[in-house]
Amino acid sequence: MKKYETYKDSGIEWIGEIPSHWEMKRIRHVANIFGRIGYRGYTVSDLVYDGNGAITISPSNMKDFGMDFTECTYLSWEKYEESPEIKIFESDILFVKTGSTYGKSAIVRKLSKEATINPQIVVLKDISCNNIFLWYSIKSPFVQLQVEETVVGGTIPTISQSKINNYSFPVPPPEEQTAIAHYLDRKTAEIDELIADKKRLLELYEEEKIAIINQAVTKGINPDVPMKDSGIEWLGEIPEHWETVSLKWVSKIYSGGTPSKNNGDFWQNGTIPWLNSGTVNQFFITEPSEYITEDALNNSSAKWIPENSVVIALAGQGKTKGMAAQVMFECTCNQSMGIIVPNEIVDNRFLLYYLASNYQNIRNLGGGDKRDGINLEMVGGIPLPILPLPEQSEIINHIENYFEHIIAKKVKTEKLIDLLTEYRTALISEVVTGKVKVTE
């Protein structure tokens, strides 16, 4: 890519040189910032829940090239009309000033409904330069460095509007701003499409993994073995020499417990590992969530879990319910987890893979995606194939050998995503600081 003919010092270390005919400006020179502070505030009573109001944009609604209103809150029309300066329109730029996603920004490309902002966000209006160029500048590393230098507060990070107003960035003539905006729109769209393709590939690898597990734990790995109908919808046909039983007949099943959070002594300087239900997302659990004391164990419903046991989430947010994992150390857990200790005819790892392959079936026992939980009786009723231990070991080895290939492909794909993301960031920075020339 070409460079400009002559450069000058920008006066800012992390920007370096800029083209000689560019200027350094602050955001206050090119835009006005408005936020929901003081009289523009609102309370819960101002929100409406029937959709009959203005969308109240939160940071989670902000996407690079538009808004995602899959989940949103609404503000009453009366409250919306009280603050016309923070009504949101196309080409406005949104910036998160408060909360964990501080520094996040988005430009409003399209808007199909009246909208305003919540108190975490400010909006840049009356923009005198190219809106898209300004937005790319805000996203660039040199502005984000200024963001990091001006954020205050530990528990709730916050940036004042006066600090945002003072962020510096290079500004070329209007025709170059437009050329840069068009160029970056085109190039970042190409990069984002490549990243999306790679992310879809990661999803396919996960589907492939589950398919391999399901085939192995329900059909075996010998394609020539005679089959029979299991009589169970989950399983369909199984090898002729396999049998099926309810899980409760070949394992001990119980739940954990949580020592009182009101008693600080139960949770301070503890030595007994304790798990919350979110740990099942690890598949193989190698670290505890917290530690409890001996006194906590003896004075609560918490129970020991033997090493290598399988645990299953009986409840939990999002996808957690129905997920299974293997604990790699002796520990305890909360009451939202079921503990399964199989007897000598079932390999713990085979059981883990079987439960993982039937995640959706198990989840459906507790109402699928509804909030209903799974109870221990439901877990005990799960139909389980019974087959010789040597064959279970062969199936486990088959699955884990295949995993190695999938993991290698996933690592390579994740590295490509990281490289593409880094390239995207670097490209924006190089272009909006004039290190490369794209006007032609």
Side-chain angles (χ1 to χ4, degrees):
M1 297 179 70
K2 294 183 179 180
K3 291 183 174 293
Y4 288 89
E5 291 182 1
T6 58
Y7 287 83
K8 65 183 179 183
D9 184 10
S10 67
I12 297 179
E13 182 180 355
W14 52 73
I15 294 178
E17 291 188 329
I18 61 174
S20 298
H21 62 293
W22 287 26
E23 299 179 74
M24 287 300 300
K25 292 188 177 181
R26 299 183 186 275
I27 286 180
R28 69 169 182 265
H29 298 142
V30 299
N32 290 320
I33 297 179
F34 300 96
R36 187 173 283 285
I37 56 176
Y39 74 91
R40 301 189 195 105
Y42 63 82
T43 65
V44 174
S45 63
D46 295 312
L47 298 176
V48 294
Y49 300 94
D50 57 0
N52 186 25
I55 291 172
T56 306
I57 298 173
S58 70
S60 62
N61 299 130
M62 293 166 53
K63 307 299 177 186
D64 272 0
F65 291 98
M67 299 289 114
D68 178 4
F69 295 133
T70 305
E71 293 185 11
C72 56
T73 56
Y74 295 86
L75 192 67
S76 68
W77 290 122
E78 181 183 2
K79 198 67 180 177
Y80 169 74
E81 294 293 348
E82 281 184 13
S83 306
E85 64 273 37
I86 51 175
K87 290 181 178 180
I88 303 304
F89 300 101
E90 292 180 6
S91 297
D92 286 347
I93 295 174
L94 306 179
F95 183 92
V96 179
K97 68 178 181 68
T98 303
S100 60
T101 57
Y102 67 87
K104 181 181 181 180
S105 63
I107 187 166
V108 183
R109 303 276 184 153
K110 291 182 180 180
L111 198 62
S112 57
K113 184 176 174 59
E114 292 89 341
T116 184
I117 52 175
N118 80 0
Q120 293 177 269
I121 299 169
V122 293
V123 56
L124 278 63
K125 291 179 172 288
D126 309 323
I127 299 170
S128 60
C129 63
N130 184 286
N131 298 52
I132 298 173
F133 169 81
L134 175 58
W135 173 61
Y136 279 118
S137 295
I138 291 170
K139 285 179 64 66
S140 66
F142 62 84
V143 169
Q144 290 301 311
L145 280 169
Q146 297 174 72
V147 169
E148 292 299 329
E149 286 197 344
T150 53
V151 67
V152 296
T155 306
I156 304 177
T158 302
I159 308 168
S160 68
Q161 290 182 200
S162 62
K163 296 293 186 183
I164 300 168
N165 261 320
N166 279 325
Y167 294 160
S168 299
F169 67 104
V171 182
E175 64 275 9
E176 290 182 52
Q177 295 174 31
T178 302
I180 287 170
H182 289 166
Y183 175 82
L184 287 176
D185 269 358
R186 185 175 73 255
K187 297 302 290 185
T188 56
E190 291 171 1
I191 297 167
D192 288 342
E193 187 174 351
L194 286 172
I195 291 173
D197 287 342
K198 300 305 176 189
K199 288 181 176 179
R200 283 194 291 270
L201 197 55
L202 290 177
E203 292 173 0
L204 290 174
Y205 290 151
E206 282 301 307
E207 291 175 11
E208 181 183 2
K209 185 172 77 173
I210 293 299
I212 290 297
I213 295 174
N214 187 62
Q215 176 70 20
V217 298
T218 60
K219 312 300 177 192
I221 56 177
N222 181 359
D224 300 320
V225 69
M227 306 291 284
K228 68 179 180 182
D229 184 8
S230 67
I232 298 168
E233 186 178 355
W234 284 18
L235 295 174
E237 287 195 331
I238 59 174
E240 199 171 69
H241 63 286
W242 289 17
E243 300 298 334
T244 60
V245 298
S246 294
L247 182 56
K248 63 186 175 184
W249 299 120
V250 291
S251 62
K252 180 181 179 182
I253 302 171
Y254 55 101
S255 63
T258 302
S260 174
K261 292 284 187 177
N262 295 325
N263 189 335
D265 293 339
F266 285 172
W267 299 89
Q268 293 176 6
N269 303 315
T271 57
I272 297 171
W274 182 86
L275 310 174
N276 62 37
S277 51
T279 53
V280 293
N281 293 286
Q282 300 173 32
F283 207 59
F284 298 111
I285 303 172
T286 57
E287 293 182 355
S289 307
E290 296 182 66
Y291 289 89
I292 60 174
T293 63
E294 285 278 355
D295 196 28
L297 177 64
N298 295 331
N299 290 280
S300 73
S301 55
K303 304 174 185 68
W304 280 110
I305 305 171
E307 181 181 356
N308 293 322
S309 297
V310 175
V311 292
I312 188 167
L314 305 175
Q317 298 295 317
K319 296 182 178 180
T320 300
K321 182 180 71 174
M323 293 188 75
Q326 187 173 17
V327 289
M328 311 309 289
F329 54 95
E330 192 178 32
C331 61
T332 60
C333 71
N334 73 10
Q335 67 278 7
S336 295
M337 297 171 75
I339 302 142
I340 308 169
V341 185
N343 66 17
E344 67 280 357
I345 69 170
V346 179
D347 188 294
N348 298 55
R349 190 67 59 88
F350 177 85
L351 173 61
L352 171 67
Y353 290 137
Y354 176 76
L355 294 176
S357 73
N358 281 288
Y359 163 72
Q360 193 59 52
N361 289 325
I362 295 169
R363 192 173 170 83
N364 289 343
L365 294 173
D369 293 336
K370 297 178 182 177
R371 289 186 173 272
D372 308 48
I374 302 166
N375 59 45
L376 297 182
E377 184 178 353
M378 293 173 182
V379 174
I382 293 172
L384 177 72
I386 299 299
L387 52 148
L389 278 171
E391 190 174 356
Q392 293 182 45
S393 296
E394 290 176 2
I395 288 172
I396 293 166
N397 290 334
H398 169 79
I399 290 171
E400 294 182 349
N401 287 336
Y402 202 90
F403 276 8
E404 291 182 10
H405 298 293
I406 293 179
I407 290 169
K409 291 191 289 187
K410 285 183 66 177
V411 168
K412 183 178 180 181
T413 303
E414 287 166 349
K415 180 63 175 175
L416 283 171
I417 291 172
D418 289 342
L419 288 172
L420 285 166
T421 303
E422 290 171 11
Y423 172 63
R424 187 182 190 275
T425 301
L427 180 66
I428 292 172
S429 181
E430 293 287 286
V431 171
V432 297
T433 57
K435 300 298 187 295
V436 293
K437 185 178 182 179
V438 300
T439 53
E440 297 177 6

